[in-house]
Every structure is written in structure tokens, then in C-alpha cells.
Amino acid sequence: MKIKKCLALLLTSVMMLGTFGCGESAATGAEQQAAETTAEAETVAEAPAEKSSEESVAEASEETTPEETVAEGPVTVTDMIGREVTVTPGSYKNVVCIGAGALRMYSYVGDVNLLCGVEDIDNETLEERPKMFDSVARPYVLAYSDVFSTLDSCGVGGPNAQAAEAEKILACNPDIVISEYEDEAKEDALQEQLGVPVITLKTGPKGVFDDSFDGSMSLLGTIFNATEKADKIIAYVDEQQKEISERTKDIAEDEKPSVYICGLGNWGTTNHLMTAQNYVLFNIANVKNAVTDLEKDGIQELEAEKFEALGEDIDIMIMDAAAVKNIKPLYAEDKTMFDTCKAWNDGEVYLEMAFNAYYTNYEIALANAWFIAQSVYPEQFEDIDMTKKTDEIMQVFFGKDLAEEIFACPSSFGGYQKIDTKTFFE
């Protein structure tokens, strides 16, 4: 059994076995900005010859119908930061999501019509609200803005309001809170103050491809009796990752172009020097990274001199659309800034969609993986139409075609494209 699927099933089975008791599950580490760090590639473990009792129960539960898996009473689950919380699956009618990414992940699995409050940042009808991400596509907002606009405020939200607002949450009268505030003591205190379960989600450094993303999906599926939907997302992401890797695995190292990724988000500070040497989307697509000798992994700013020195070795540049607003004025001041970059001079610069906007747009990160692979290895991906692929991904996550709306957002610049380096920043 593949490790990602095994972990997801095991998490669910342990949750359900913990009725009136204490459940325990393992969750991998993550950071507030999941897409802003990178990690080593996953190891695939061999399944044991004899199945454990937990695996057997997990497989048995997978074969039952949704009606058969409905819990009749409270169960103890372990959330993604290790807190044991008693919940009653399928019983919740008033849901609040707080913190960067919580509402997004809930919208993948849960019913948005159960929401009784929303953070101001996600209610686009408000005049007074954080607006720093309004030009960037956030597919969950595009999909459900009509619902969010009708809800009371459960807090301001946004990167400048990094604390739960208990009074506003209480005013929404929730019977459960889904949170992305990853402080165990504060989550326990908030739960005590609210008198309802507070469940913390989390994803790991590999974002949508991380085991912790699977764990968060499974946790939501268990709590809201939506295991079929959660499992569908987990399986789809796994299949997509495998297909991208399979198409590129046999390309000889000396035939691979050298690729530079830039414009990666780091709490909003990004430009052509913001890069990563162990970029997870490159790893999945077997892309050769032009940056290899940094002292540490993770998103970081390259020295300008180092970028210039690398220039002749950069065959292809992938630029995140989030960086355009910062690169454009720099280029206006100094039109020689890319003169040493082979990819710029050859017109081999490609624009991926911005995937960090109030935490990670996991579905866009998945689409970006396809776009990067296609840009670097066009022959292996000549059958892929990025508009159709984007819509396919959005259908799995939201049940809606959203590519047209995503590409129409100001910071999308019309969508996935090979940019004209002579005119793009003019």
C-alpha cells in the first residue's frame, strides 16, 4: 500500500476506533507558509507481508457505504497538531473557520452552507477589510463568494491579524471551529472559552503533496461525514503526482535544461531573486534546478551577484505571477537586470499562477506542477491544455470550472503563458 494512502486510511481508522476513548495519529511537521519551504523527496515504503489490525479495519471501512460509516455518538480524534478532541461526526450545523488556509481547506471537503461566520478578508462585500490579496486568484473565494458575503464576521483575518477573536467567533454561535492557528496552548484556551470543539488543520513543507495535507483532508472527512470526498481529493492528487513523475522519469540528466524558479512568496516579499534550491514542484517533475549550492533549503533571497553569475546556466526561467508587481518597477529602474540571464535573452520565461494568497492555494499549486513540467518538457506534455487541466483540478476540489475566473484576476495576467520578455514589463 502506498504510504500516502496508507497514512490517510490509518488516520481515519484510528479516529473511528477511538469512540469514547483516546485516539492517536501521527502528523508530519508544517510551517505557517507551507509553500514557502521545501523538503526532501518522499520515501516509499514496502507494505508488510501481514496486515496490522489497524490496516485491516481501514480497508474494511473503505468498502462500506457512507451511511454505514456515520458515527452514532462522540468519538475522540487527534487533530493535526496532536490535540485530542471529542467530536460527534456529522452533527455540526454551524461552522466557523479561522486562520490562514482554514476556510480554503474546509471548502474542499465540507459544506459551505453550514458556515455561520467568515473572516473579513474573505468577504469581498465589506469596505473595511484586508485587501492585499484581492488581485490574486483565491479559488475558494471565486467559488463561494456568494455564500461568504452573507455571513457575519468571525474576525478580521489576514497576515496582519494573527490571533483568534473569541468574542466575534462567539457572536456567530458556532458548534465547531476549524482553525489554522497552530499553537496547542492557545487552541486549548480558545476551545475552553468557546465551549465547542476547536480542530486544528495543518499541512507540511511539500504543500498539496505532503502527507499532512492528506491528514487534514481525512480529518475533515471524518468530522463532517465526508470521507468519500476527502478520499477522492487525496487519491486524485496522488495520481496527478505519479503521472507527472512517470512522464519525466526517463529523461537523461544531460538532456535536461537548467531551470530557475523565482518570485516565490515569502510573507509578501518577493521578486526575481526569491528562489528555492529544493523546490517541490521541480522534484515531482524531475526538473534540474539551476540553484544547487545554497547553505539551506527553503525560499530565500539570492544575492544579486549570484543571480548574475548563474545567468548563462539558466536555460528556462519560471516566474511566479505574484512577483510581477515587484519586478516591474525594478525593471523600469534598471533594464539591464536580466542581461546575463540566458533564459531572458532567449525568451524562455514562463509565468505560473500565484499560489500564495492567505496561505497556499493548493489546487493552483497542483496546476502549477503541470505547467512547469509542460514548460520544461514540451514533448512529454504536448497533449496537455492548461485551461482544461485547470478546470479538471477545480472540478475535483470545488465541483466547478474556475479557470476562466482565475486567469481573469489582475495578478494572473491572462493565465499560464510564455511571456514576451521584450514587452511584458513595459
Side-chain angles (χ1 to χ4, degrees), residues 15 27-28 30-32 78-83 97-109 177-183 187 198-204 212-213 215-221 223-224 359 362:
M15 289 172 183
T28 59
E31 301 172 62
Q32 176 64 21
T78 304
D79 74 7
M80 298 306 294
I81 59 171
R83 298 169 55 252
C97 299
I98 58 172
L103 180 57
R104 179 186 284 107
M105 284 204 283
Y106 173 80
S107 72
Y108 294 160
V109 176
V177 173
I178 304 301
S179 174
E180 267 276 7
Y181 291 112
E182 299 172 9
D183 185 302
E187 295 289 68
V198 174
I199 302 295
T200 312
L201 305 180
K202 188 177 184 179
T203 57
S212 288
F213 177 82
S216 289
M217 293 297 99
S218 291
L219 183 59
L220 288 168
I223 293 169
F224 296 103
Y359 214 13
Y362 300 103

Side-chain angles (χ1 to χ4, degrees), residues 164-170 186-196 198:
E165 298 182 57
E167 290 186 6
K168 288 186 178 180
I169 296 170
L170 277 169
K186 289 181 179 179
E187 295 289 68
D188 287 342
L190 181 63
Q191 181 170 279
E192 180 71 21
Q193 187 173 2
L194 298 178
V196 301
V198 174

